[in-house]
Amino acid sequence: MSADWSRTRLLRRRWYDWSVINGSTGMTHYLLGIDVGTLGVRAGLFDTQGQLFASSSAPFALLTPHEHHAVYRMDDIWNATGRAVRTTLAAVACARENLRGIAFDATSSLYIEAVGGAPLDGVADVLCWMDHRGEQEAKEIDRTGDRYLDYVGGSVSPEMHLPKLLWLKRQRPAVWERIVAVRDLCDELARRATDVARNSICGLCCKLPYLPADPEPWRRELLSRLGISDLLERGQLNDPPASVGTLHGLVSHSAAEFLGVRAGVPVAVSLIDAEAGALGVVGRGFQDRMNQTIAIVGGTSTCYMSWAADERRVRGVWGPFKDAVFSGYWMHEAGQSFSGAALDAVLATHPSSPGQPCARLHLDTATEILHQLQTEGPAFAARRHVVPDWIGNRAPHGNGSARALLTGISEETSRRAFLEHYYAVARGLILQSRHIIEHLSAHGYTIDRASLAGGHLKNPLLVTLYRDALGVDVVVPTTAEPVLLGAAMVAALAGGVYGNLFEALDMMASDQTVLARDDDWARAHDVAYRIYRNLFATRNEIEAEAEAWLENTSVTT
């Protein structure tokens, strides 16, 4: 490993010297950010000041072979990556010749390398982040009381890697014996681009029992207690991880041909997609106002990212994760597992839906609801309220088995019923976002500003609700691709353009716009928020009583 690392550093130096000698430093230098989401890949080409020159996307399939199982085929993801990158680079003259660095971000999905065929049902080899097969295993980890729980908000989510791997070892022992490596999805993408296997600290500390501040970061005692002590050796996880933005490796000749880039371009140690989105949206001067700012990256799910210079433990919120993005800083990540997907579900399942979810129907529905709100005001859907936890509550409750609670449901056979339901779900998502912000601010933060990124910006109803119901100032970036911009900032470090992420952020961040809150609607949403909080507490009481009853029934049986 050390010889390969030295060779990689030497080749990187030679690549940089070549660019200077040939005068290319006087030309526009480009950075390539590649974002692998839940259903597709996007690639974006930026200059070193953060201006977007071209972008493209390509889809891939999400497979659900069983209930609570969600998987991919890595080759599908990689092929989509190639299509998106090649199309993006083809749109800009000389982009290939003047590409300075590449960085990947990806959902916190897990690639599993195995001999003798695909290890997962559906001829798949990637566990999707939303796979919930490990719900019982997550509860078992919680019962250990291990100090690891202090760094995941008090309870392990089934969306983290360890519960899924524990399920795989116990339920598919023959498959487990065939495993030769496990990698966070962003690390596998970088490996395919460079032929270098290296783990990012971002994926390890956020999704596995790895505590960077400890003298021995891996919680080996916990792994042994769970009967999965062979994970580190089998998964090739023993080597120390690398910091985000440092050099992962150089583009190999085979990957260069596949992606349409030059061999030898630096590839950064990469990061999870939510963290990339946070980088792309928090704005210039973030280091000075870190404690007052939260980044919200809303898409299929929603992530809430905040950082602090000191260690803070917040129950119901993942973290604190030391060094996960900014070296020396602690990160908290709260979340909603089913946000944009919840609105998709309304379109897909409501009896009066106009059709299956697509961008046009979301826009049409949002526009029609906004018209109704202008006409009727807060009376519209006044009796409908939602606690939006369809596949568990990530934050602030931290209960993966919790489920949604809805009020005001009727026969649901009219167009109005559909519109009211869509609105109530959308409002419930933003009110829970407000709940998360208040929860963080009760534990050391003083959040008064939310920087918004992601697909939610394309839904005018959601944007309006964020503006009026969140309870803090909402700012939006002027760039069309903040997640890709965040990845490009990381690429700038590997390419030697900037010395650290704070510098890259200050130099490349886009301008921001503060959304002006409507005070009348803000007061109306204050009422809805009080109702939501009452329903949230009631739902939790119901869940606790049901859980106790189930445990007693199990003991009796």
Side-chain angles (χ1 to χ4, degrees):
M1 179 65 73
S2 60
D4 290 342
W5 176 245
S6 297
R7 179 177 177 274
T8 294
R9 289 174 62 85
L10 176 61
L11 288 172
R12 178 190 175 195
R13 181 71 251 174
R14 288 175 179 171
W15 180 88
Y16 180 72
D17 291 343
W18 176 90
S19 70
V20 174
I21 291 169
N22 285 273
S24 62
T25 53
M27 302 178 184
T28 300
H29 284 240
Y30 296 107
L31 301 161
L32 183 65
I34 303 168
D35 168 49
V36 178
T38 302
L39 296 173
V41 180
R42 295 180 302 141
L45 190 70
F46 297 82
D47 68 10
T48 57
Q49 301 301 305
Q51 179 182 349
L52 177 65
F53 279 75
S55 63
S56 182
S57 63
F60 53 77
L62 170 64
L63 310 174
T64 53
H66 308 290
E67 186 178 10
H68 302 311
H69 290 210
V71 296
Y72 303 111
R73 295 169 184 153
M74 189 65 213
D75 285 347
D76 290 350
I77 296 174
W78 186 239
N79 288 333
T81 301
R83 293 195 301 274
V85 169
R86 291 191 298 269
T87 302
T88 299
L89 294 177
V92 179
C94 299
R96 180 180 180 276
E97 291 75 16
N98 293 304
L99 186 61
R100 187 72 176 267
I102 298 172
F104 295 92
D105 73 74
T107 63
S108 52
S109 301
L110 186 67
Y111 169 71
I112 300 176
E113 183 177 346
V115 296
L120 303 174
D121 293 345
V123 197
D125 51 8
V126 180
L127 287 161
C128 175
W129 66 269
M130 68 169 64
D131 186 293
H132 266 234
R133 71 183 69 198
E135 287 191 1
Q136 294 306 311
E137 287 73 15
K139 292 179 181 178
E140 179 184 347
I141 296 168
D142 289 349
R143 289 194 293 269
T144 67
D146 190 86
R147 66 183 298 269
Y148 168 56
L149 300 176
D150 293 337
Y151 295 87
V152 289
S155 64
V156 171
S157 167
E159 292 169 15
M160 292 180 174
H161 295 337
L162 185 57
K164 300 171 191 177
L165 290 167
L166 193 56
W167 183 98
L168 196 62
K169 176 163 186 175
R170 292 175 176 176
Q171 303 300 323
R172 302 287 192 272
V175 167
W176 184 259
E177 292 300 319
R178 295 195 289 110
I179 294 174
V180 296
V182 297
R183 299 184 192 95
D184 207 77
L185 179 54
C186 67
D187 294 330
E188 174 60 15
L189 290 160
R191 188 199 68 81
R192 293 199 174 205
T194 62
D195 290 337
V196 175
R198 184 165 290 125
N199 293 309
S200 168
I201 194 171
C202 184
L204 287 195
C205 73
C206 292
K207 303 303 174 185
L208 284 164
Y210 184 89
L211 307 180
D214 282 11
E216 168 48 58
W218 282 106
R219 294 297 301 150
R220 295 177 186 270
E221 182 180 346
L222 172 63
L223 296 177
S224 179
R225 181 174 180 177
L226 295 169
I228 195 171
S229 57
D230 58 338
L231 171 63
L232 304 188
E233 186 69 29
R234 186 173 298 282
Q236 296 187 26
L237 297 170
N238 276 314
D239 289 338
S243 298
V244 170
T246 57
L247 185 66
H248 184 109
L250 305 177
V251 174
S252 68
H253 287 284
S254 59
E257 183 176 355
F258 176 75
L259 295 172
V261 303
R262 286 185 302 104
V265 175
V267 176
V269 172
S270 299
L271 71 172
I272 298 169
D273 58 345
E275 282 80 337
L279 284 176
V281 77
V282 291
R284 300 181 186 92
F286 172 67
Q287 190 172 14
D288 294 330
R289 49 179 172 76
M290 183 181 290
N291 203 58
Q292 292 80 42
T293 302
I294 190 167
I296 300 178
V297 184
T300 303
S301 61
T302 302
C303 290
Y304 309 78
M305 320 295 297
S306 56
W307 281 266
D310 58 312
E311 179 181 351
R312 304 170 188 171
R313 298 176 186 179
V314 184
R315 186 162 187 84
V317 176
W318 296 351
F321 304 124
K322 191 171 188 290
D323 302 329
V325 178
F326 300 106
S327 294
Y329 289 85
W330 299 81
M331 183 185 81
H332 285 102
E333 179 183 349
Q336 289 174 329
S337 298
F338 206 68
S339 56
L343 295 177
D344 282 343
V346 174
L347 280 168
T349 63
H350 195 277
S352 298
S353 169
Q356 291 301 302
C358 65
R360 180 184 60 81
L361 282 181
H362 278 298
L363 180 59
D364 290 348
T365 301
T367 302
E368 188 172 353
I369 291 170
L370 288 170
H371 175 73
Q372 291 294 120
L373 293 173
Q374 288 179 341
T375 302
E376 300 182 34
F380 180 75
R383 289 182 173 82
R384 288 183 186 257
H385 299 275
V386 176
V387 179
D389 296 327
W390 278 269
I391 58 172
N393 179 273
R394 246 197 251 177
H397 187 41
N399 183 350
S401 62
R403 291 298 181 260
L405 180 65
L406 292 76
T407 69
I409 304 302
S410 66
E411 293 180 285
E412 304 300 299
T413 56
S414 67
R415 173 71 177 179
R416 182 181 179 90
F418 162 73
L419 295 175
E420 288 189 355
H421 184 53
Y422 189 102
Y423 174 65
V425 171
R427 182 177 60 187
L429 293 168
I430 277 61
L431 294 178
Q432 189 169 84
S433 300
R434 177 173 174 173
H435 191 181
I436 290 168
I437 290 173
E438 290 186 359
H439 186 58
L440 286 167
S441 289
H443 291 82
Y445 289 98
T446 55
I447 296 169
D448 59 14
R449 179 186 182 97
S451 299
L452 183 62
H456 290 190
L457 287 173
K458 298 177 181 179
N459 187 312
L461 175 61
L462 286 176
V463 173
T464 300
L465 286 166
Y466 276 115
R467 181 194 72 189
D468 296 335
L470 197 60
V472 297
D473 289 339
V474 175
V475 299
V476 297
T478 56
T479 181
E481 296 287 359
V483 179
L484 292 174
L485 175 58
M489 292 176 184
V490 174
L493 266 68
V497 179
Y498 301 115
N500 60 64
L501 276 176
F502 289 119
E503 182 184 353
L505 203 163
D506 285 342
M507 295 301 296
M508 296 178 65
S510 72
D511 293 332
Q512 294 181 314
T513 301
V514 180
L515 303 182
R517 187 182 300 122
D518 184 311
D519 291 336
D520 289 337
W521 271 108
R523 284 189 288 271
H525 292 310
D526 287 345
V527 176
Y529 182 60
R530 288 195 293 273
I531 295 172
Y532 156 82
R533 290 295 298 265
N534 288 334
L535 290 174
F536 184 84
T538 299
R539 191 281 310 274
N540 293 344
E541 291 175 6
I542 294 170
E543 291 277 354
E545 187 171 342
E547 188 72 22
W549 178 78
L550 287 171
E551 288 182 4
N552 290 334
T553 301
S554 177
V555 171
T556 302
T557 302

